[in-house]
Amino acid sequence: MTTTSPELPTAPGKRSLSLYILGTQSDLHSERGVECPGDLPPASDPGLVERARRAKEALGSRVFVLGHHYQRDEVIQFADVTGDSFKLAKDAAARPDAEYIVFCGVHFMAESADILTAPEQKVILPDLAAGCSMADMARLAQVEDAWDTLADAGIADVTVPVTYMNSSADIKAFCGRNGGVVCTSSNAQAVLEWAFRRGQKVLFLPDQHLGRNTAVLQLGLGLDDCVVYDPRRPGGGVSPEQLRAATMILWKGHCSVHGRFTPEAVDEVRGRIPGVQVMVHPECQHEVVLKADQIGSTEFIIRTIEQAPAGSSWAIGTELNLVKRLAANHPDKQISFLEQHVCYCATMNRIDLPHLVWALESLVAGEVVNQITVDAETERYAKEALQRMLDLPGETSRD
Ligand code: 13P
Ligand code: SF4
């Protein structure tokens, strides 16, 4: 629960109405996206660059600007540090002197930063509509219903809930309260191994693809050890027998960007670019990941390209802003976007220069806008789930 959230206001007593910019919840085939064959939105008024520079200079060390790798160039140029969601949360925690943390990313990331920073530090999300459709696919009430279903099937006490970083703070808190843990795309294997030392089964939230890809490709489980729990169907759309037989109970959620890459796109690019290496994020569908040469988190993708030999060719299946930036920063390598019909992340791109300038100039004027605050109870349990991840060997040095 947060005091501010990217939800539309609702009348008291009514169900909250989320802002679903892309598909209708967890049905991947409903994702419409936007057709943008290789194009990013046009840059904002260049006059704003100078205003952002002046506001940031006026704030000095009182402000610390974090930029996720999927942010627009016009925003990333003002980031003091860049990184994936996990690295940015750690970076925020490492700056206790900064009064304001301006988070250029999405809502769940700003929540994690608020959880991991000191109480007096204020975390700001320049546009509250910068949510994440994947995080929205697992609501606390739905997860509590699912847990009751597992209890009715007699398996809740042997199941460890694991949530991807890309989830709301109250889902992280649910995991904390129930002996569970948070994972990221770079440590999902180590976290799942930890979970299976403590329980016989895992309930994996909210990205079925990261859960399946990690379980099958890294832990050696079979596809038939996995069952998909659909929160929109009674009993999750699975029988108690199926739940009892499964080892991985995968929540029916997906990323509206990575979930749309197709195996056909991999075949197409291999036919078009001789010798191309295909690298995809583990949020992609299993059929896509199986055809790729390399699979890895955002930080892994960046590192692999940095270390790749000059002249090598790559087709990358991740967010478009990052792929374009990698191509621009590595002109000695041929880097292309994997699929013509996948777009940039619409919600990440909500953070643009006008919103950043507004947030910074408001701070200069002494007004804190769009503060993200996680309540104390949620924070306490979410921190437990995050701390279990941070306590894994090697985790504090991992990027
Ligand atoms: P990471 O930042 O952890 O790589 O996650 C990818 C993503 O989709 C972020 O929204
Ligand atoms: Fe969410 Fe996917 Fe966008 Fe990341 S890229 S913010 S997981 S919709």
PDB file of all heavy atoms in Angstrom, residues 263-290:
ATOM      1  N   PRO A 263       9.279 -16.253 -31.606  1.00  0.00           N
ATOM      2  CA  PRO A 263      10.308 -17.140 -32.170  1.00  0.00           C
ATOM      3  C   PRO A 263      10.523 -16.865 -33.656  1.00  0.00           C
ATOM      4  O   PRO A 263      11.642 -16.987 -34.165  1.00  0.00           O
ATOM      5  CB  PRO A 263       9.744 -18.548 -31.960  1.00  0.00           C
ATOM      6  CG  PRO A 263       8.485 -18.418 -31.187  1.00  0.00           C
ATOM      7  CD  PRO A 263       8.147 -16.982 -31.006  1.00  0.00           C
ATOM      8  N   GLU A 264       9.458 -16.452 -34.356  1.00  0.00           N
ATOM      9  CA  GLU A 264       9.578 -16.159 -35.796  1.00  0.00           C
ATOM     10  C   GLU A 264      10.567 -15.013 -36.034  1.00  0.00           C
ATOM     11  O   GLU A 264      11.295 -15.005 -37.031  1.00  0.00           O
ATOM     12  CB  GLU A 264       8.212 -15.771 -36.397  1.00  0.00           C
ATOM     13  CG  GLU A 264       7.196 -16.903 -36.483  1.00  0.00           C
ATOM     14  CD  GLU A 264       6.579 -17.262 -35.124  1.00  0.00           C
ATOM     15  OE1 GLU A 264       6.445 -16.356 -34.265  1.00  0.00           O
ATOM     16  OE2 GLU A 264       6.238 -18.449 -34.915  1.00  0.00           O
ATOM     17  N   ALA A 265      10.598 -14.046 -35.100  1.00  0.00           N
ATOM     18  CA  ALA A 265      11.519 -12.917 -35.267  1.00  0.00           C
ATOM     19  C   ALA A 265      12.968 -13.408 -35.189  1.00  0.00           C
ATOM     20  O   ALA A 265      13.851 -12.888 -35.882  1.00  0.00           O
ATOM     21  CB  ALA A 265      11.260 -11.863 -34.195  1.00  0.00           C
ATOM     22  N   VAL A 266      13.209 -14.420 -34.346  1.00  0.00           N
ATOM     23  CA  VAL A 266      14.567 -14.962 -34.231  1.00  0.00           C
ATOM     24  C   VAL A 266      14.949 -15.623 -35.565  1.00  0.00           C
ATOM     25  O   VAL A 266      16.041 -15.390 -36.095  1.00  0.00           O
ATOM     26  CB  VAL A 266      14.676 -15.964 -33.057  1.00  0.00           C
ATOM     27  CG1 VAL A 266      16.109 -16.499 -32.953  1.00  0.00           C
ATOM     28  CG2 VAL A 266      14.241 -15.319 -31.744  1.00  0.00           C
ATOM     29  N   ASP A 267      14.029 -16.420 -36.125  1.00  0.00           N
ATOM     30  CA  ASP A 267      14.302 -17.072 -37.417  1.00  0.00           C
ATOM     31  C   ASP A 267      14.551 -16.019 -38.497  1.00  0.00           C
ATOM     32  O   ASP A 267      15.465 -16.131 -39.309  1.00  0.00           O
ATOM     33  CB  ASP A 267      13.107 -17.947 -37.839  1.00  0.00           C
ATOM     34  CG  ASP A 267      12.873 -19.095 -36.860  1.00  0.00           C
ATOM     35  OD1 ASP A 267      13.842 -19.472 -36.162  1.00  0.00           O
ATOM     36  OD2 ASP A 267      11.734 -19.600 -36.798  1.00  0.00           O
ATOM     37  N   GLU A 268      13.721 -14.983 -38.470  1.00  0.00           N
ATOM     38  CA  GLU A 268      13.801 -13.950 -39.516  1.00  0.00           C
ATOM     39  C   GLU A 268      15.153 -13.239 -39.471  1.00  0.00           C
ATOM     40  O   GLU A 268      15.810 -13.056 -40.491  1.00  0.00           O
ATOM     41  CB  GLU A 268      12.635 -12.962 -39.317  1.00  0.00           C
ATOM     42  CG  GLU A 268      12.431 -11.951 -40.426  1.00  0.00           C
ATOM     43  CD  GLU A 268      13.321 -10.726 -40.280  1.00  0.00           C
ATOM     44  OE1 GLU A 268      13.669 -10.328 -39.138  1.00  0.00           O
ATOM     45  OE2 GLU A 268      13.726 -10.183 -41.327  1.00  0.00           O
ATOM     46  N   VAL A 269      15.593 -12.878 -38.255  1.00  0.00           N
ATOM     47  CA  VAL A 269      16.844 -12.111 -38.160  1.00  0.00           C
ATOM     48  C   VAL A 269      18.041 -13.005 -38.514  1.00  0.00           C
ATOM     49  O   VAL A 269      19.011 -12.555 -39.121  1.00  0.00           O
ATOM     50  CB  VAL A 269      16.987 -11.443 -36.769  1.00  0.00           C
ATOM     51  CG1 VAL A 269      17.466 -12.390 -35.692  1.00  0.00           C
ATOM     52  CG2 VAL A 269      17.910 -10.243 -36.849  1.00  0.00           C
ATOM     53  N   ARG A 270      17.955 -14.282 -38.182  1.00  0.00           N
ATOM     54  CA  ARG A 270      19.059 -15.196 -38.541  1.00  0.00           C
ATOM     55  C   ARG A 270      19.154 -15.331 -40.059  1.00  0.00           C
ATOM     56  O   ARG A 270      20.246 -15.425 -40.618  1.00  0.00           O
ATOM     57  CB  ARG A 270      18.839 -16.574 -37.907  1.00  0.00           C
ATOM     58  CG  ARG A 270      19.064 -16.611 -36.399  1.00  0.00           C
ATOM     59  CD  ARG A 270      19.298 -18.041 -35.923  1.00  0.00           C
ATOM     60  NE  ARG A 270      19.149 -18.183 -34.482  1.00  0.00           N
ATOM     61  CZ  ARG A 270      20.058 -17.795 -33.586  1.00  0.00           C
ATOM     62  NH1 ARG A 270      21.183 -17.232 -33.983  1.00  0.00           N
ATOM     63  NH2 ARG A 270      19.833 -17.980 -32.295  1.00  0.00           N
ATOM     64  N   GLY A 271      17.985 -15.316 -40.738  1.00  0.00           N
ATOM     65  CA  GLY A 271      17.995 -15.397 -42.198  1.00  0.00           C
ATOM     66  C   GLY A 271      18.532 -14.120 -42.822  1.00  0.00           C
ATOM     67  O   GLY A 271      19.165 -14.138 -43.875  1.00  0.00           O
ATOM     68  N   ARG A 272      18.296 -13.000 -42.159  1.00  0.00           N
ATOM     69  CA  ARG A 272      18.633 -11.692 -42.738  1.00  0.00           C
ATOM     70  C   ARG A 272      20.080 -11.282 -42.458  1.00  0.00           C
ATOM     71  O   ARG A 272      20.725 -10.656 -43.299  1.00  0.00           O
ATOM     72  CB  ARG A 272      17.659 -10.650 -42.153  1.00  0.00           C
ATOM     73  CG  ARG A 272      17.729  -9.284 -42.735  1.00  0.00           C
ATOM     74  CD  ARG A 272      16.453  -8.480 -42.450  1.00  0.00           C
ATOM     75  NE  ARG A 272      15.960  -8.593 -41.093  1.00  0.00           N
ATOM     76  CZ  ARG A 272      16.384  -7.840 -40.055  1.00  0.00           C
ATOM     77  NH1 ARG A 272      17.293  -6.922 -40.243  1.00  0.00           N
ATOM     78  NH2 ARG A 272      15.872  -8.017 -38.840  1.00  0.00           N
ATOM     79  N   ILE A 273      20.604 -11.625 -41.270  1.00  0.00           N
ATOM     80  CA  ILE A 273      21.952 -11.171 -40.897  1.00  0.00           C
ATOM     81  C   ILE A 273      22.832 -12.398 -40.648  1.00  0.00           C
ATOM     82  O   ILE A 273      22.769 -13.025 -39.578  1.00  0.00           O
ATOM     83  CB  ILE A 273      21.920 -10.279 -39.632  1.00  0.00           C
ATOM     84  CG1 ILE A 273      20.889  -9.157 -39.788  1.00  0.00           C
ATOM     85  CG2 ILE A 273      23.307  -9.729 -39.334  1.00  0.00           C
ATOM     86  CD1 ILE A 273      20.716  -8.280 -38.547  1.00  0.00           C
ATOM     87  N   PRO A 274      23.674 -12.760 -41.593  1.00  0.00           N
ATOM     88  CA  PRO A 274      24.504 -13.957 -41.401  1.00  0.00           C
ATOM     89  C   PRO A 274      25.422 -13.802 -40.178  1.00  0.00           C
ATOM     90  O   PRO A 274      25.991 -12.736 -39.966  1.00  0.00           O
ATOM     91  CB  PRO A 274      25.342 -14.028 -42.698  1.00  0.00           C
ATOM     92  CG  PRO A 274      24.696 -13.074 -43.656  1.00  0.00           C
ATOM     93  CD  PRO A 274      23.920 -12.073 -42.861  1.00  0.00           C
ATOM     94  N   GLY A 275      25.489 -14.846 -39.364  1.00  0.00           N
ATOM     95  CA  GLY A 275      26.384 -14.837 -38.197  1.00  0.00           C
ATOM     96  C   GLY A 275      25.864 -14.036 -37.015  1.00  0.00           C
ATOM     97  O   GLY A 275      26.579 -13.863 -36.025  1.00  0.00           O
ATOM     98  N   VAL A 276      24.629 -13.558 -37.091  1.00  0.00           N
ATOM     99  CA  VAL A 276      24.108 -12.733 -35.994  1.00  0.00           C
ATOM    100  C   VAL A 276      23.945 -13.564 -34.712  1.00  0.00           C
ATOM    101  O   VAL A 276      23.620 -14.760 -34.777  1.00  0.00           O
ATOM    102  CB  VAL A 276      22.743 -12.101 -36.391  1.00  0.00           C
ATOM    103  CG1 VAL A 276      21.621 -13.141 -36.448  1.00  0.00           C
ATOM    104  CG2 VAL A 276      22.352 -10.971 -35.430  1.00  0.00           C
ATOM    105  N   GLN A 277      24.237 -12.955 -33.579  1.00  0.00           N
ATOM    106  CA  GLN A 277      23.972 -13.617 -32.299  1.00  0.00           C
ATOM    107  C   GLN A 277      22.732 -12.969 -31.687  1.00  0.00           C
ATOM    108  O   GLN A 277      22.616 -11.738 -31.654  1.00  0.00           O
ATOM    109  CB  GLN A 277      25.157 -13.454 -31.362  1.00  0.00           C
ATOM    110  CG  GLN A 277      26.406 -14.160 -31.886  1.00  0.00           C
ATOM    111  CD  GLN A 277      27.454 -14.210 -30.808  1.00  0.00           C
ATOM    112  OE1 GLN A 277      27.286 -14.862 -29.787  1.00  0.00           O
ATOM    113  NE2 GLN A 277      28.548 -13.505 -31.048  1.00  0.00           N
ATOM    114  N   VAL A 278      21.846 -13.816 -31.218  1.00  0.00           N
ATOM    115  CA  VAL A 278      20.578 -13.319 -30.671  1.00  0.00           C
ATOM    116  C   VAL A 278      20.663 -13.350 -29.141  1.00  0.00           C
ATOM    117  O   VAL A 278      21.004 -14.376 -28.556  1.00  0.00           O
ATOM    118  CB  VAL A 278      19.397 -14.176 -31.175  1.00  0.00           C
ATOM    119  CG1 VAL A 278      18.086 -13.712 -30.544  1.00  0.00           C
ATOM    120  CG2 VAL A 278      19.309 -14.113 -32.702  1.00  0.00           C
ATOM    121  N   MET A 279      20.378 -12.205 -28.535  1.00  0.00           N
ATOM    122  CA  MET A 279      20.453 -12.118 -27.063  1.00  0.00           C
ATOM    123  C   MET A 279      19.133 -11.541 -26.556  1.00  0.00           C
ATOM    124  O   MET A 279      18.672 -10.506 -27.032  1.00  0.00           O
ATOM    125  CB  MET A 279      21.620 -11.207 -26.673  1.00  0.00           C
ATOM    126  CG  MET A 279      21.767 -11.022 -25.189  1.00  0.00           C
ATOM    127  SD  MET A 279      23.456 -10.556 -24.715  1.00  0.00           S
ATOM    128  CE  MET A 279      23.741  -9.103 -25.680  1.00  0.00           C
ATOM    129  N   VAL A 280      18.525 -12.230 -25.600  1.00  0.00           N
ATOM    130  CA  VAL A 280      17.208 -11.796 -25.103  1.00  0.00           C
ATOM    131  C   VAL A 280      17.175 -11.782 -23.573  1.00  0.00           C
ATOM    132  O   VAL A 280      17.943 -12.469 -22.902  1.00  0.00           O
ATOM    133  CB  VAL A 280      16.057 -12.703 -25.637  1.00  0.00           C
ATOM    134  CG1 VAL A 280      15.999 -12.685 -27.150  1.00  0.00           C
ATOM    135  CG2 VAL A 280      16.166 -14.128 -25.109  1.00  0.00           C
ATOM    136  N   HIS A 281      16.233 -11.008 -23.069  1.00  0.00           N
ATOM    137  CA  HIS A 281      15.993 -10.901 -21.616  1.00  0.00           C
ATOM    138  C   HIS A 281      15.143 -12.109 -21.192  1.00  0.00           C
ATOM    139  O   HIS A 281      14.282 -12.565 -21.949  1.00  0.00           O
ATOM    140  CB  HIS A 281      15.244  -9.585 -21.354  1.00  0.00           C
ATOM    141  CG  HIS A 281      15.214  -9.160 -19.929  1.00  0.00           C
ATOM    142  ND1 HIS A 281      14.350  -9.709 -19.016  1.00  0.00           N
ATOM    143  CD2 HIS A 281      15.933  -8.228 -19.242  1.00  0.00           C
ATOM    144  CE1 HIS A 281      14.542  -9.129 -17.829  1.00  0.00           C
ATOM    145  NE2 HIS A 281      15.495  -8.224 -17.938  1.00  0.00           N
ATOM    146  N   PRO A 282      15.339 -12.635 -19.973  1.00  0.00           N
ATOM    147  CA  PRO A 282      14.551 -13.810 -19.542  1.00  0.00           C
ATOM    148  C   PRO A 282      13.069 -13.536 -19.299  1.00  0.00           C
ATOM    149  O   PRO A 282      12.325 -14.470 -18.972  1.00  0.00           O
ATOM    150  CB  PRO A 282      15.248 -14.270 -18.251  1.00  0.00           C
ATOM    151  CG  PRO A 282      16.009 -13.097 -17.775  1.00  0.00           C
ATOM    152  CD  PRO A 282      16.368 -12.280 -18.977  1.00  0.00           C
ATOM    153  N   GLU A 283      12.604 -12.294 -19.468  1.00  0.00           N
ATOM    154  CA  GLU A 283      11.159 -12.030 -19.430  1.00  0.00           C
ATOM    155  C   GLU A 283      10.507 -12.429 -20.755  1.00  0.00           C
ATOM    156  O   GLU A 283       9.287 -12.353 -20.886  1.00  0.00           O
ATOM    157  CB  GLU A 283      10.884 -10.540 -19.180  1.00  0.00           C
ATOM    158  CG  GLU A 283      11.204 -10.073 -17.779  1.00  0.00           C
ATOM    159  CD  GLU A 283      11.085  -8.555 -17.627  1.00  0.00           C
ATOM    160  OE1 GLU A 283      10.508  -7.894 -18.505  1.00  0.00           O
ATOM    161  OE2 GLU A 283      11.588  -8.031 -16.624  1.00  0.00           O
ATOM    162  N   CYS A 284      11.324 -12.829 -21.749  1.00  0.00           N
ATOM    163  CA  CYS A 284      10.758 -13.256 -23.043  1.00  0.00           C
ATOM    164  C   CYS A 284      10.132 -14.649 -22.886  1.00  0.00           C
ATOM    165  O   CYS A 284      10.499 -15.420 -21.994  1.00  0.00           O
ATOM    166  CB  CYS A 284      11.844 -13.310 -24.107  1.00  0.00           C
ATOM    167  SG  CYS A 284      12.482 -11.688 -24.554  1.00  0.00           S
ATOM    168  N   GLN A 285       9.229 -14.987 -23.818  1.00  0.00           N
ATOM    169  CA  GLN A 285       8.561 -16.294 -23.775  1.00  0.00           C
ATOM    170  C   GLN A 285       9.598 -17.419 -23.918  1.00  0.00           C
ATOM    171  O   GLN A 285      10.619 -17.255 -24.596  1.00  0.00           O
ATOM    172  CB  GLN A 285       7.558 -16.393 -24.915  1.00  0.00           C
ATOM    173  CG  GLN A 285       6.431 -15.372 -24.837  1.00  0.00           C
ATOM    174  CD  GLN A 285       5.480 -15.540 -25.995  1.00  0.00           C
ATOM    175  OE1 GLN A 285       4.806 -16.551 -26.113  1.00  0.00           O
ATOM    176  NE2 GLN A 285       5.444 -14.553 -26.871  1.00  0.00           N
ATOM    177  N   HIS A 286       9.272 -18.576 -23.344  1.00  0.00           N
ATOM    178  CA  HIS A 286      10.195 -19.712 -23.348  1.00  0.00           C
ATOM    179  C   HIS A 286      10.610 -20.101 -24.776  1.00  0.00           C
ATOM    180  O   HIS A 286      11.776 -20.401 -25.036  1.00  0.00           O
ATOM    181  CB  HIS A 286       9.521 -20.896 -22.637  1.00  0.00           C
ATOM    182  CG  HIS A 286      10.447 -22.023 -22.321  1.00  0.00           C
ATOM    183  ND1 HIS A 286      11.553 -21.881 -21.514  1.00  0.00           N
ATOM    184  CD2 HIS A 286      10.425 -23.321 -22.720  1.00  0.00           C
ATOM    185  CE1 HIS A 286      12.187 -23.044 -21.423  1.00  0.00           C
ATOM    186  NE2 HIS A 286      11.528 -23.930 -22.135  1.00  0.00           N
ATOM    187  N   GLU A 287       9.664 -20.070 -25.707  1.00  0.00           N
ATOM    188  CA  GLU A 287       9.938 -20.466 -27.102  1.00  0.00           C
ATOM    189  C   GLU A 287      10.970 -19.528 -27.742  1.00  0.00           C
ATOM    190  O   GLU A 287      11.707 -19.933 -28.638  1.00  0.00           O
ATOM    191  CB  GLU A 287       8.653 -20.412 -27.950  1.00  0.00           C
ATOM    192  CG  GLU A 287       7.520 -21.323 -27.501  1.00  0.00           C
ATOM    193  CD  GLU A 287       6.808 -20.860 -26.229  1.00  0.00           C
ATOM    194  OE1 GLU A 287       6.872 -19.658 -25.901  1.00  0.00           O
ATOM    195  OE2 GLU A 287       6.210 -21.728 -25.549  1.00  0.00           O
ATOM    196  N   VAL A 288      11.001 -18.274 -27.295  1.00  0.00           N
ATOM    197  CA  VAL A 288      11.954 -17.294 -27.828  1.00  0.00           C
ATOM    198  C   VAL A 288      13.327 -17.536 -27.208  1.00  0.00           C
ATOM    199  O   VAL A 288      14.352 -17.589 -27.894  1.00  0.00           O
ATOM    200  CB  VAL A 288      11.457 -15.855 -27.530  1.00  0.00           C
ATOM    201  CG1 VAL A 288      12.486 -14.817 -27.943  1.00  0.00           C
ATOM    202  CG2 VAL A 288      10.117 -15.614 -28.222  1.00  0.00           C
ATOM    203  N   VAL A 289      13.322 -17.701 -25.905  1.00  0.00           N
ATOM    204  CA  VAL A 289      14.566 -17.913 -25.160  1.00  0.00           C
ATOM    205  C   VAL A 289      15.290 -19.173 -25.660  1.00  0.00           C
ATOM    206  O   VAL A 289      16.516 -19.202 -25.790  1.00  0.00           O
ATOM    207  CB  VAL A 289      14.199 -17.988 -23.651  1.00  0.00           C
ATOM    208  CG1 VAL A 289      15.257 -18.667 -22.843  1.00  0.00           C
ATOM    209  CG2 VAL A 289      13.909 -16.589 -23.116  1.00  0.00           C
ATOM    210  N   LEU A 290      14.484 -20.211 -25.987  1.00  0.00           N
ATOM    211  CA  LEU A 290      15.088 -21.472 -26.469  1.00  0.00           C
ATOM    212  C   LEU A 290      15.853 -21.266 -27.769  1.00  0.00           C
ATOM    213  O   LEU A 290      16.814 -21.971 -28.052  1.00  0.00           O
ATOM    214  CB  LEU A 290      13.993 -22.523 -26.703  1.00  0.00           C
ATOM    215  CG  LEU A 290      13.418 -23.212 -25.470  1.00  0.00           C
ATOM    216  CD1 LEU A 290      12.352 -24.216 -25.882  1.00  0.00           C
ATOM    217  CD2 LEU A 290      14.514 -23.898 -24.655  1.00  0.00           C
TER     218      LEU A 290
END
